[in-house]
């Protein structure tokens, strides 16, 4: 590579699936990247959120909708911010829920089913509909990315 000069990259994929379609069948996926500065995130109280409960105060957690429609059955993503030492339970009606720890250290467990698992930044879990997932923040503040559908 020569800085400041035009370049060309060749990428060889050794194994499939390739997911390459003819241009006549091209489409734009519905997922889009979201770039947010931390100070631009608008946090809301979980006080009236049916999908999250807290063993302590509902003030122990806040959420921020990122994209999509939060109605059941619709694709969406949100952040969940949990205060230090707070334990919350999250449950969704959708069949495919994915979670990634963005900040902090979280203890994750499915009550009466699994032992606690420690998750740091980049740690993730996937769950099905109606499964209750217990999350406990082990650091000053924890932020978890939640994507449904």
């Amino acid at each position: 590579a020569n800085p400041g000069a035009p370049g060309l990259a060749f990428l060889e994929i050794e194994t499939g699936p390739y997911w390459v379609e003819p241009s006549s069948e091209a489409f734009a996926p519905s997922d889009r990247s979201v770039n947010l500065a931390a100070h631009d995130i608008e946090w809301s109280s979980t006080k009236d959120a049916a999908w999250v409960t807290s063993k302590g105060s509902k003030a122990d957690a806040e959420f921020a909708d990122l994209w999509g429609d939060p109605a059941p059955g619709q694709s969406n993503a949100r952040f969940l911010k949990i205060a230090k030492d707070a334990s919350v339970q999250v449950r969704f009606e959708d069949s495919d829920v994915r979670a990634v720890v963005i900040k902090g250290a979280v203890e994750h467990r499915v009550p009466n089913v699994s032992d606690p698992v420690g998750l740091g930044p980049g740690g993730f879990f996937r769950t099905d509909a109606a499964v209750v997932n217990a999350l406990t923040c082990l650091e000053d503040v924890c932020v978890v990315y939640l994507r449904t559908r």
Side-chain angles (χ1 to χ4, degrees):
N2 186 4
L8 176 67
F10 175 73
L11 176 65
E12 183 175 346
I13 303 171
E14 294 184 20
T15 61
Y18 300 105
W19 296 315
V20 176
E21 303 290 343
S23 59
S24 62
E25 297 178 33
F27 67 95
S30 61
D31 290 347
R32 301 277 189 250
S33 62
V34 176
N35 296 307
L36 293 171
H39 64 273
D40 288 336
I41 297 173
E42 203 170 302
W43 295 98
S44 300
S45 170
T46 58
K47 182 177 75 169
D48 298 320
W51 57 272
V52 61
T53 58
S54 176
K55 288 184 178 178
S57 162
K58 280 279 198 162
D60 289 341
E62 296 177 294
F63 73 97
D65 285 322
L66 299 175
W67 58 263
D69 183 350
Q74 302 299 313
S75 295
N76 67 81
R78 58 179 55 132
F79 282 142
L80 175 64
K81 182 166 59 171
I82 309 167
K84 182 178 183 174
D85 297 326
S87 293
V88 298
Q89 293 185 338
V90 294
R91 178 180 169 187
F92 296 95
E93 295 178 25
D94 294 301
S95 61
D96 188 18
V97 180
R98 298 175 216 158
V100 180
V101 176
I102 303 298
K103 180 180 181 180
V106 173
E107 181 182 86
H108 169 257
R109 71 183 177 85
V110 177
N112 303 318
V113 176
S114 69
D115 292 329
V117 175
L119 301 171
F124 66 94
F125 64 91
R126 189 173 188 167
T127 188
D128 290 324
V131 173
V132 175
N133 292 271
L135 303 172
T136 301
C137 180
L138 305 175
E139 293 187 1
D140 287 337
V141 67
C142 298
V143 177
V144 179
Y145 173 82
L146 299 164
R147 183 192 192 285
T148 61
R149 202 139 297 265

